[in-house]
Amino acid sequence: QKEVEQDPGPLSVPEGAIVSLNCTYSNSAFQYFMWYRQYSRKGPELLMYTYSSGNKEDGRFTAQVDKSSKYISLFIRDSQPSDSATYLCAMSGERDNFNKFYFGSGTKLNVKP
Amino acid sequence: DAGITQSPRYKITETGRQVTLMCHQTWSHSYMFWYRQDLGHGLRLIYYSAAADITDKGEVPDGYVVSRSKTENFPLTLESATRSQTSVYFCASKGQGAANEKLFFGSGTQLSVL
């Protein structure tokens, strides 16, 4: 079983839709949760960063962490064609192993004009 | 500009040749990482470094060598390139401490080994 599971998609939505991207994980020791956006032929760009459980909002983006269910989500409101990219979840924070990051395989999102 | 830069952006080489990928960061981050990204495997850690002169293996270190003589540079060398090392390579860095558990990535080097 992978440490982090993420549906690869692709996910295709019309412009203006609300997008929900999700990851599940198996290691209850994770404390830090990140979402990265990766455009084609570019490096991953940090989008959202959350410590422990709860919600964090930044503009059209909301990140949710539910540690009891080992489930994290990224919501994109009023999606735009410029949001078309691959979204990677990542997590870290194992005791004595802070430098190890676990990545999902990425969900490819296509927002149609 | 501050940030993390990788060079070259694209590289084509032949099997058996030595290749060095460069990574430079201007944030004075303690930690630096090398990942490779392949379809079906996602991001896999090759090597990482906690500080100058301190390096450690990641998940897939075989065939790679790293060094870190200066905090800002972390080159990755393929000693004798093989076709299985055809991939996109990303360098990343992060600061020290629990408040800095965020990786920042470079733009990547696309390497083709023929």
Short mmCIF file of all heavy atoms in Angstrom, two decimals, chain B residues 13-42:
data_model
loop_
_atom_site.label_atom_id
_atom_site.label_comp_id
_atom_site.label_asym_id
_atom_site.label_seq_id
_atom_site.Cartn_x
_atom_site.Cartn_y
_atom_site.Cartn_z
N THR B 13 22.29 13.01 -23.74
CA THR B 13 23.60 12.40 -23.62
C THR B 13 23.53 10.95 -24.08
O THR B 13 22.46 10.45 -24.44
CB THR B 13 24.12 12.49 -22.18
OG1 THR B 13 25.50 12.12 -22.13
CG2 THR B 13 23.33 11.58 -21.25
N GLU B 14 24.66 10.30 -24.08
CA GLU B 14 24.71 8.90 -24.52
C GLU B 14 25.01 7.99 -23.32
O GLU B 14 25.60 8.43 -22.32
CB GLU B 14 25.79 8.72 -25.58
CG GLU B 14 25.49 9.49 -26.86
CD GLU B 14 26.62 9.39 -27.85
OE1 GLU B 14 27.76 9.09 -27.45
OE2 GLU B 14 26.37 9.62 -29.05
N THR B 15 24.63 6.74 -23.44
CA THR B 15 24.89 5.81 -22.35
C THR B 15 26.40 5.73 -22.08
O THR B 15 27.20 5.80 -23.00
CB THR B 15 24.38 4.40 -22.68
OG1 THR B 15 24.94 3.99 -23.93
CG2 THR B 15 22.87 4.38 -22.79
N GLY B 16 26.73 5.67 -20.80
CA GLY B 16 28.12 5.57 -20.39
C GLY B 16 28.79 6.90 -20.09
O GLY B 16 29.87 6.93 -19.48
N ARG B 17 28.20 7.98 -20.53
CA ARG B 17 28.81 9.29 -20.30
C ARG B 17 28.49 9.80 -18.90
O ARG B 17 27.47 9.47 -18.31
CB ARG B 17 28.33 10.30 -21.33
CG ARG B 17 28.88 10.02 -22.71
CD ARG B 17 28.66 11.20 -23.63
NE ARG B 17 29.15 10.94 -24.98
CZ ARG B 17 30.36 11.28 -25.39
NH1 ARG B 17 31.20 11.90 -24.57
NH2 ARG B 17 30.73 11.03 -26.62
N GLN B 18 29.37 10.63 -18.40
CA GLN B 18 29.13 11.29 -17.13
C GLN B 18 28.38 12.60 -17.38
O GLN B 18 28.71 13.36 -18.30
CB GLN B 18 30.45 11.59 -16.42
CG GLN B 18 30.27 12.18 -15.03
CD GLN B 18 31.60 12.44 -14.33
OE1 GLN B 18 32.28 13.42 -14.59
NE2 GLN B 18 31.97 11.54 -13.44
N VAL B 19 27.39 12.85 -16.56
CA VAL B 19 26.57 14.06 -16.71
C VAL B 19 26.42 14.70 -15.34
O VAL B 19 26.19 14.00 -14.35
CB VAL B 19 25.16 13.72 -17.25
CG1 VAL B 19 24.30 14.97 -17.33
CG2 VAL B 19 25.26 13.05 -18.61
N THR B 20 26.52 16.01 -15.28
CA THR B 20 26.29 16.73 -14.03
C THR B 20 25.17 17.73 -14.20
O THR B 20 25.20 18.54 -15.12
CB THR B 20 27.56 17.44 -13.54
OG1 THR B 20 28.56 16.46 -13.25
CG2 THR B 20 27.28 18.24 -12.27
N LEU B 21 24.20 17.64 -13.31
CA LEU B 21 23.09 18.59 -13.28
C LEU B 21 23.34 19.56 -12.13
O LEU B 21 23.67 19.14 -11.02
CB LEU B 21 21.76 17.85 -13.08
CG LEU B 21 21.50 16.66 -14.02
CD1 LEU B 21 20.11 16.09 -13.75
CD2 LEU B 21 21.67 17.04 -15.47
N MET B 22 23.12 20.83 -12.42
CA MET B 22 23.45 21.86 -11.43
C MET B 22 22.20 22.39 -10.74
O MET B 22 21.12 22.47 -11.34
CB MET B 22 24.19 23.02 -12.10
CG MET B 22 25.44 22.59 -12.86
SD MET B 22 26.64 21.75 -11.82
CE MET B 22 27.15 23.11 -10.77
N CYS B 23 22.37 22.77 -9.48
CA CYS B 23 21.28 23.36 -8.71
C CYS B 23 21.87 24.44 -7.81
O CYS B 23 22.86 24.20 -7.10
CB CYS B 23 20.57 22.30 -7.87
SG CYS B 23 19.24 22.98 -6.88
N HIS B 24 21.24 25.60 -7.84
CA HIS B 24 21.72 26.75 -7.06
C HIS B 24 20.54 27.43 -6.40
O HIS B 24 19.53 27.71 -7.06
CB HIS B 24 22.45 27.73 -7.98
CG HIS B 24 22.89 28.99 -7.30
ND1 HIS B 24 24.01 29.05 -6.51
CD2 HIS B 24 22.33 30.23 -7.27
CE1 HIS B 24 24.15 30.29 -6.03
NE2 HIS B 24 23.14 31.02 -6.49
N GLN B 25 20.63 27.70 -5.08
CA GLN B 25 19.55 28.42 -4.40
C GLN B 25 20.11 29.62 -3.66
O GLN B 25 21.23 29.61 -3.16
CB GLN B 25 18.77 27.48 -3.45
CG GLN B 25 19.62 26.72 -2.45
CD GLN B 25 19.57 27.27 -1.04
OE1 GLN B 25 18.97 28.31 -0.77
NE2 GLN B 25 20.21 26.57 -0.13
N THR B 26 19.28 30.67 -3.62
CA THR B 26 19.73 31.95 -3.05
C THR B 26 19.08 32.24 -1.70
O THR B 26 19.25 33.33 -1.16
CB THR B 26 19.43 33.10 -4.02
OG1 THR B 26 18.02 33.13 -4.27
CG2 THR B 26 20.18 32.92 -5.33
N TRP B 27 18.31 31.29 -1.16
CA TRP B 27 17.63 31.53 0.12
C TRP B 27 18.46 31.17 1.34
O TRP B 27 18.02 31.35 2.45
CB TRP B 27 16.34 30.69 0.17
CG TRP B 27 15.27 31.14 -0.75
CD1 TRP B 27 14.72 32.39 -0.84
CD2 TRP B 27 14.55 30.33 -1.70
NE1 TRP B 27 13.73 32.40 -1.78
CE2 TRP B 27 13.60 31.16 -2.32
CE3 TRP B 27 14.63 28.98 -2.07
CZ2 TRP B 27 12.73 30.68 -3.31
CZ3 TRP B 27 13.76 28.52 -3.04
CH2 TRP B 27 12.83 29.37 -3.65
N SER B 28 19.63 30.59 1.14
CA SER B 28 20.45 30.06 2.24
C SER B 28 19.71 28.96 2.99
O SER B 28 19.89 28.80 4.21
CB SER B 28 20.85 31.18 3.22
OG SER B 28 21.62 32.16 2.57
N HIS B 29 18.87 28.22 2.29
CA HIS B 29 18.20 27.07 2.89
C HIS B 29 19.20 26.01 3.29
O HIS B 29 20.15 25.72 2.55
CB HIS B 29 17.17 26.46 1.92
CG HIS B 29 15.90 27.23 1.85
ND1 HIS B 29 14.96 27.00 0.88
CD2 HIS B 29 15.39 28.20 2.64
CE1 HIS B 29 13.93 27.81 1.07
NE2 HIS B 29 14.17 28.54 2.12
N SER B 30 18.95 25.40 4.45
CA SER B 30 19.86 24.34 4.91
C SER B 30 19.72 23.08 4.09
O SER B 30 20.70 22.43 3.75
CB SER B 30 19.56 24.00 6.38
OG SER B 30 19.74 25.13 7.21
N TYR B 31 18.48 22.73 3.78
CA TYR B 31 18.22 21.44 3.15
C TYR B 31 18.05 21.58 1.65
O TYR B 31 17.36 22.49 1.16
CB TYR B 31 16.95 20.81 3.74
CG TYR B 31 17.09 20.43 5.19
CD1 TYR B 31 16.70 21.31 6.20
CD2 TYR B 31 17.62 19.20 5.55
CE1 TYR B 31 16.85 20.98 7.53
CE2 TYR B 31 17.76 18.86 6.89
CZ TYR B 31 17.37 19.75 7.87
OH TYR B 31 17.51 19.41 9.18
N MET B 32 18.65 20.63 0.94
CA MET B 32 18.45 20.55 -0.51
C MET B 32 18.22 19.11 -0.90
O MET B 32 18.71 18.18 -0.23
CB MET B 32 19.65 21.14 -1.26
CG MET B 32 19.83 22.64 -0.99
SD MET B 32 21.09 23.42 -1.99
CE MET B 32 20.27 23.52 -3.59
N PHE B 33 17.45 18.94 -1.96
CA PHE B 33 16.99 17.61 -2.36
C PHE B 33 17.09 17.46 -3.87
O PHE B 33 16.94 18.43 -4.61
CB PHE B 33 15.50 17.42 -1.98
CG PHE B 33 15.19 17.65 -0.53
CD1 PHE B 33 15.08 18.93 -0.01
CD2 PHE B 33 14.98 16.56 0.32
CE1 PHE B 33 14.78 19.14 1.32
CE2 PHE B 33 14.67 16.77 1.66
CZ PHE B 33 14.57 18.06 2.16
N TRP B 34 17.28 16.22 -4.31
CA TRP B 34 17.15 15.88 -5.72
C TRP B 34 16.07 14.81 -5.86
O TRP B 34 16.10 13.78 -5.19
CB TRP B 34 18.45 15.33 -6.29
CG TRP B 34 19.38 16.40 -6.76
CD1 TRP B 34 20.53 16.82 -6.17
CD2 TRP B 34 19.26 17.17 -7.96
NE1 TRP B 34 21.13 17.81 -6.91
CE2 TRP B 34 20.36 18.05 -8.01
CE3 TRP B 34 18.32 17.21 -9.00
CZ2 TRP B 34 20.55 18.95 -9.06
CZ3 TRP B 34 18.51 18.11 -10.03
CH2 TRP B 34 19.61 18.97 -10.06
N TYR B 35 15.10 15.10 -6.75
CA TYR B 35 14.05 14.15 -7.09
C TYR B 35 14.10 13.86 -8.58
O TYR B 35 14.51 14.68 -9.37
CB TYR B 35 12.67 14.74 -6.79
CG TYR B 35 12.33 14.87 -5.32
CD1 TYR B 35 12.66 16.03 -4.62
CD2 TYR B 35 11.64 13.86 -4.66
CE1 TYR B 35 12.34 16.15 -3.28
CE2 TYR B 35 11.31 13.98 -3.32
CZ TYR B 35 11.66 15.13 -2.64
OH TYR B 35 11.33 15.26 -1.32
N ARG B 36 13.61 12.71 -8.94
CA ARG B 36 13.30 12.44 -10.33
C ARG B 36 11.81 12.17 -10.45
O ARG B 36 11.19 11.63 -9.52
CB ARG B 36 14.13 11.26 -10.88
CG ARG B 36 13.97 9.95 -10.19
CD ARG B 36 14.80 8.86 -10.86
NE ARG B 36 14.28 8.49 -12.18
CZ ARG B 36 14.86 7.63 -13.01
NH1 ARG B 36 16.02 7.07 -12.67
NH2 ARG B 36 14.32 7.34 -14.17
N GLN B 37 11.26 12.59 -11.59
CA GLN B 37 9.83 12.42 -11.80
C GLN B 37 9.61 11.62 -13.07
O GLN B 37 10.03 12.03 -14.16
CB GLN B 37 9.13 13.79 -11.90
CG GLN B 37 7.62 13.68 -11.94
CD GLN B 37 6.94 15.05 -11.94
OE1 GLN B 37 7.40 15.97 -12.58
NE2 GLN B 37 5.86 15.20 -11.17
N ASP B 38 8.93 10.50 -12.93
CA ASP B 38 8.64 9.61 -14.04
C ASP B 38 7.18 9.23 -14.02
O ASP B 38 6.59 9.06 -12.95
CB ASP B 38 9.48 8.32 -13.93
CG ASP B 38 10.97 8.60 -13.81
OD1 ASP B 38 11.57 8.92 -14.84
OD2 ASP B 38 11.52 8.51 -12.68
N LEU B 39 6.62 9.06 -15.23
CA LEU B 39 5.23 8.60 -15.32
C LEU B 39 5.09 7.27 -14.61
O LEU B 39 5.90 6.37 -14.79
CB LEU B 39 4.83 8.46 -16.78
CG LEU B 39 4.41 9.73 -17.51
CD1 LEU B 39 4.19 9.45 -18.98
CD2 LEU B 39 3.14 10.32 -16.89
N GLY B 40 4.08 7.16 -13.80
CA GLY B 40 3.83 5.91 -13.11
C GLY B 40 4.54 5.78 -11.78
O GLY B 40 4.24 4.90 -10.99
N HIS B 41 5.53 6.66 -11.56
CA HIS B 41 6.28 6.61 -10.30
C HIS B 41 6.19 7.89 -9.49
O HIS B 41 6.55 7.92 -8.32
CB HIS B 41 7.76 6.32 -10.57
CG HIS B 41 8.00 4.94 -11.10
ND1 HIS B 41 8.02 3.82 -10.29
CD2 HIS B 41 8.23 4.50 -12.35
CE1 HIS B 41 8.27 2.75 -11.04
NE2 HIS B 41 8.39 3.12 -12.28
N GLY B 42 5.75 8.96 -10.10
CA GLY B 42 5.68 10.22 -9.38
C GLY B 42 7.07 10.75 -9.04
O GLY B 42 8.05 10.47 -9.75
#
